[in-house]
Amino acid sequence: MSETSVTTPAPQSGTTSRKVPRIVILGGGSVGVYSARRLRRRLGNREAAIVVVDPRPYMTYAPFLPEAAAGSIDARYVVAPHRRALKGIDALQGKVSEIKHGERKVQITPEEGEPYWITYDHLIIGLGSVARTLPIPGLAEQAIGFKNVEEAIAVRNHVLGRIDRASSTWDPELRRRMLTFTFVGGGFAGVEAIAEVEDMARDAIKQYPSLDASDMRFVLVEGSRRILPEVSEELGGYTLEQLRKRGIEVYLSTFLNSCVDGHVVLSDKTEFDSETIVWTAGVKANPVLQNSDLPLDKMGRVTTLATLQIADADGTVVPDAYAAGDCAAVPDLYNPGQFCPPNAQHAIREATHLADNLARVLRSAEPTDYKHKNIGAVASLGMYKGVAQFLGRIKVRGFLAWVMHRSYHVMAMPTLNRKLAIMSGWTANLLWRRETVALGSIHDPRAEFRAASVPPKPRAEAAPAAADHSPVPGSEAKPDGTGTADDTSAADSASAKATA
């Protein structure tokens, strides 16, 4: 790894004194992991050194986040650790802060320590996307994202924690606020998230005699006229009908105007209080790309050719640079004038094709165009419920669609041990009920220890008993009229001092 930390910039042409070319892959998500694994199979250790850079030590398989939030999959198995998935590949944990491709170097900022530069011969951009937020009052302070596994766990613990608290709350307004769960965004992420979490909450609330499923309120807010635009209007309408049958309120052509202090105000003037606001309304390319010398489109994505080589607006190839996934504008050859959608199906296939092209270039062959006809889409709507569409014509709903959803995504999950662990967890859930317990303290595990470590404030000295026999504010006289609990405590304290 010491070689990776070289700070001397490479020459402009990209030639270095290294014996083998170094390929640096920015991003350890689907593009990063799949391209690195493919390159390692195509190129031996003597043909290329491969380095993957990411702030997290694992890849998150985003399509399984809703099931992780619902407890259908253990969150540990939604991620693939880089150290296990990237055999024979170096992994650097740090955040990309600047890209100077003209000098063939990248600045890495680790979680601890000073930033440093690494040099390379070939660059792959797979930095993915981040949540696309809007300047809505209260959003930053109140909402939870749904882009990574940490946020999925937070949503799960938050929802279950509110049910726990509501079961011991007698104030009806406060209870209603606690049990109102709002999701913003009606795409795949938002629909799957609210459907899975509502299914989990309905299962969990059965364990609380003081609560009923009718006490809960789930609200989905979508700015367009329909949900699930990735599937046909027929399946989108079916999904809408199923959600409303379950009591989920769906507001279409409606926007979130404000959520200050949990008071939700929608664009149609609807207002209500909600302690849970989950934001799933779209993504945008990783903003670090703005701090680079690479060509970007108006949406902040790296522009590429169909070969996945980075190119400027005129089609001129940027030497030794490739990109794929959510952060890249990859032309869709099956739909001229459009770009490949930012989903896992394309990201994984783009990654393997990119790796093949780079291997070809290193062996003096010509790269080929990426072409993939969308095979369809699958979505889970909770346990045993789902929708699926294949090849634009085949539409499936209900239990069979749910099975197809799970089968497709478990096969796409990297590493055999992860596939087996997920399937064994599903089997266990069929035999026993899933665990619905909130572990809220995991988000600040030192909170209780800090509270215990703070020295208690000294108590004020009690006034002389003969001066005034009126009760201390907040105390009550004993039934036998012998005084208050605080009077007795003060007397005991005085006695103890005298004895001492």
Side-chain angles (χ1 to χ4, degrees):
M1 191 66 68
S2 59
E3 183 187 3
T4 306
S5 300
V6 175
T7 57
T8 304
Q12 193 81 3
S13 62
T15 59
T16 71
S17 60
R18 285 188 285 271
K19 293 182 180 180
V20 297
R22 175 187 291 151
I23 302 170
V24 169
I25 303 173
L26 303 184
S30 295
V31 170
V33 168
Y34 280 90
S35 63
R37 285 160 63 93
R38 184 79 163 197
L39 281 167
R40 188 78 292 163
R41 285 196 292 268
R42 294 277 178 159
L43 304 172
N45 291 331
R46 295 185 178 182
E47 294 182 272
I50 305 172
V51 181
V52 175
V53 182
D54 196 90
R56 291 184 173 86
Y58 51 78
M59 181 205 97
T60 301
Y61 190 66
F64 274 150
L65 289 181
E67 291 204 52
S72 300
I73 300 177
D74 191 314
R76 294 174 297 169
Y77 304 132
V78 175
V79 300
H82 290 157
R83 301 295 175 183
R84 176 171 297 203
L86 300 176
K87 296 295 184 182
I89 299 166
D90 289 331
L92 283 180
Q93 189 174 346
K95 192 172 183 179
V96 178
S97 46
E98 188 173 354
I99 303 169
K100 292 184 177 180
H101 184 67
E103 301 177 33
R104 301 299 192 275
K105 66 179 184 179
V106 176
Q107 187 182 53
I108 310 298
T109 302
E111 190 169 339
E112 294 187 23
E114 295 297 319
Y116 58 89
W117 293 88
I118 63 172
T119 60
Y120 58 84
D121 300 287
H122 301 274
L123 180 68
I124 295 176
I125 303 290
L127 289 167
S129 58
V130 299
R132 176 174 56 88
T133 59
L134 300 172
I136 298 172
L139 183 66
E141 296 78 14
Q142 299 294 323
I144 306 173
F146 204 77
K147 194 72 177 60
N148 53 56
V149 70
E150 296 91 343
E151 290 173 334
I153 296 171
V155 169
R156 169 182 167 80
N157 285 327
H158 186 81
V159 170
L160 293 176
R162 290 306 174 272
I163 295 175
D164 275 332
R165 296 182 184 184
S167 67
S168 301
T169 301
W170 311 118
D171 184 337
E173 290 298 322
L174 181 57
R175 177 184 285 198
R176 188 176 300 110
R177 179 189 180 97
M178 287 179 175
L179 295 180
T180 298
F181 309 105
T182 307
F183 289 69
V184 184
F188 259 104
V191 169
E192 287 191 301
I194 194 171
E196 290 280 359
V197 171
E198 189 271 346
D199 198 58
M200 173 199 69
R202 187 177 293 274
D203 190 35
I205 209 165
K206 296 174 183 176
Q207 304 173 47
Y208 298 85
S210 61
L211 298 177
D212 186 76
S214 60
D215 296 330
M216 295 188 297
R217 181 184 184 187
F218 280 83
V219 180
L220 177 64
V221 181
E222 167 56 36
S224 65
R225 64 178 183 83
R226 55 168 297 197
I227 61 174
L228 289 186
E230 300 87 347
V231 299
S232 67
E233 291 226 25
E234 179 186 346
L235 283 183
Y238 167 81
T239 302
L240 177 62
E241 179 184 348
Q242 294 303 306
L243 294 180
R244 284 176 169 164
K245 279 184 178 180
R246 289 159 60 173
I248 298 174
E249 301 174 32
V250 181
Y251 290 84
L252 299 178
S253 301
T254 307
F255 301 93
L256 176 65
N257 281 353
S258 172
C259 56
V260 176
D261 295 330
H263 183 70
V264 175
V265 180
L266 305 182
S267 59
D268 66 353
K269 309 303 181 185
T270 300
E271 297 188 30
F272 56 88
D273 291 326
S274 174
E275 288 195 359
T276 305
I277 301 169
V278 182
W279 180 265
T280 66
V283 296
K284 64 180 179 181
N286 196 311
V288 74
L289 293 171
Q290 302 290 340
N291 199 18
S292 75
D293 55 359
L294 298 172
L296 308 178
D297 68 0
K298 61 182 181 180
M299 298 178 66
R301 299 173 300 183
V302 181
T303 54
T304 75
L305 301 179
T307 57
L308 301 171
Q309 295 169 293
I310 296 177
D312 61 21
D314 297 327
T316 303
V317 173
V318 176
D320 309 320
Y322 303 77
D326 293 4
C327 67
V330 179
D332 187 347
L333 298 185
Y334 279 100
N335 297 284
Q338 299 183 31
F339 298 100
C340 295
N343 56 33
Q345 180 182 154
H346 277 281
I348 293 171
R349 287 168 173 80
E350 289 170 6
T352 55
H353 193 91
L354 185 158
D356 289 342
N357 273 351
L358 180 50
R360 288 189 186 98
V361 170
L362 290 174
R363 291 169 177 167
S364 301
E366 289 297 318
T368 62
D369 289 344
Y370 169 77
K371 292 177 67 175
H372 173 66
K373 190 173 184 179
N374 194 3
I375 60 176
V378 288
S380 172
L381 303 179
M383 196 69 76
Y384 314 125
K385 300 175 284 289
V387 292
Q389 180 174 330
F390 295 96
L391 304 176
R393 301 183 305 274
I394 304 172
K395 302 178 181 67
V396 186
R397 60 195 71 183
F399 177 77
L400 181 57
W402 174 78
V403 172
M404 296 169 77
H405 166 270
R406 286 193 161 189
S407 301
Y408 174 82
H409 286 303
V410 78
M411 294 308 297
M413 188 74 192
T415 72
L416 178 61
N417 71 309
R418 283 294 183 276
K419 300 179 196 288
L420 296 177
I422 290 171
M423 288 189 288
S424 63
W426 285 338
T427 304
N429 282 340
L430 291 175
L431 300 176
W432 298 283
R433 296 176 63 179
R434 57 183 166 186
E435 292 294 335
T436 52
V437 58
L439 299 175
S441 62
I442 66 172
H443 303 297
D444 188 6
R446 295 188 61 250
E448 190 171 343
F449 181 80
R450 285 198 302 269
S453 301
V454 175
K457 295 180 179 179
R459 294 182 62 181
E461 291 292 333
D468 187 5
H469 293 285
S470 60
V472 178
S475 64
E476 297 180 359
K478 294 183 179 181
D480 60 3
T482 57
T484 66
D486 284 343
D487 291 337
T488 306
S489 176
D492 290 344
S493 177
S495 175
K497 290 179 180 178
T499 305

